[in-house]
Amino acid sequence: MLGPQNELVKVKYFTARVQPSPRDPEVNVRQDAYLRALQAHCPLVELYYGEFLRHRVSMEHANPPPASVEVWRNEEKGSDVNLALHLLNDSWLSAYDCAVVVSNDSDLAESLRLVRAQNHKLVGLVTPGAPKRKTSRQLRQHANFLKPIRTWMLEASQLPEVIPGTSIHKPGGW
């Protein structure tokens, strides 16, 4: 994505362990297989975990009656904060010259601003789903550059059917 003149030194992946549900009881098994495959195939990847919360909430119904309905709310907590803290800390430690953030979470805007303003580091921004999905204005104003993820890039970046040196296989449904 950045060209051969750049050296990739580390990939920090911020996520949360998903929880199985009656509709998808194997979701955590698939996620675990993916994360193991990713680490086995890409030694520069480091995983950092937030939390995944699932709870019932009552919400106003868009087409009453009834006035409200009970729904399951899934929330990933902490991943954005962890990303922001690592981005800032690694900047202060001069662990990078240029960081590329793959997110569209506007909560990260202040950390991007501080990295550029105080540490004079380059910050690139990759928006998942762009160009169909608009890049956050708050993030865009603090990035040195924007990069789209093109379809051919995604296709070229798929993990192999079998991860070399392991018994990890790409599931049929992927």
Side-chain angles (χ1 to χ4, degrees):
M1 182 169 264
L2 295 178
Q5 73 278 16
N6 297 286
E7 178 188 359
L8 181 63
V9 294
K10 190 175 292 184
V11 175
K12 292 190 173 187
Y13 188 150
F14 299 88
T15 189
R17 295 278 187 181
V18 295
Q19 311 251 328
S21 69
R23 289 184 68 197
D24 195 350
E26 298 291 314
V27 65
N28 59 325
V29 175
R30 292 192 311 276
Q31 181 193 40
D32 186 57
Y34 171 72
L35 295 175
R36 282 191 342 246
L38 188 62
Q39 284 194 295
H41 189 67
C42 308
L44 295 178
V45 172
E46 293 179 357
L47 300 174
Y48 296 89
Y49 294 102
E51 290 188 55
F52 185 85
L53 303 176
R54 178 178 164 85
H55 52 274
R56 288 178 195 226
V57 295
S58 181
M59 299 188 79
E60 183 180 3
H61 199 292
N63 298 306
S68 64
V69 292
E70 198 169 79
V71 298
W72 287 106
R73 173 171 283 169
N74 299 318
E75 295 181 272
E76 187 174 340
K77 304 297 278 183
S79 296
D80 55 348
V81 173
N82 290 341
L83 191 159
L85 290 171
H86 279 260
L87 182 68
L88 285 165
N89 192 54
D90 289 349
S91 174
W92 293 324
L93 295 172
S94 279
Y96 63 83
D97 297 319
C98 174
V100 177
V101 176
V102 182
S103 179
N104 203 29
D105 187 338
S106 61
D107 289 345
L108 300 171
E110 182 64 4
S111 60
L112 270 65
R113 186 190 73 75
L114 288 171
V115 163
R116 287 189 60 197
Q118 294 182 356
N119 298 84
H120 311 289
K121 302 291 185 181
L122 292 175
V123 178
L125 183 62
V126 175
T127 301
K132 286 183 182 179
R133 184 177 183 195
K134 296 288 183 201
T135 301
S136 160
R137 181 185 51 78
Q138 294 90 338
L139 290 178
R140 191 174 51 238
Q141 69 184 356
H142 299 300
N144 293 94
F145 61 91
L146 305 174
K147 289 278 189 175
I149 300 177
R150 307 272 186 220
T151 302
W152 66 267
M153 292 173 168
L154 286 175
E155 291 169 356
S157 300
Q158 297 295 306
L159 292 172
E161 293 292 325
V162 178
I163 303 297
T166 74
S167 61
I168 302 171
H169 293 263
K170 186 175 180 180
W174 288 3

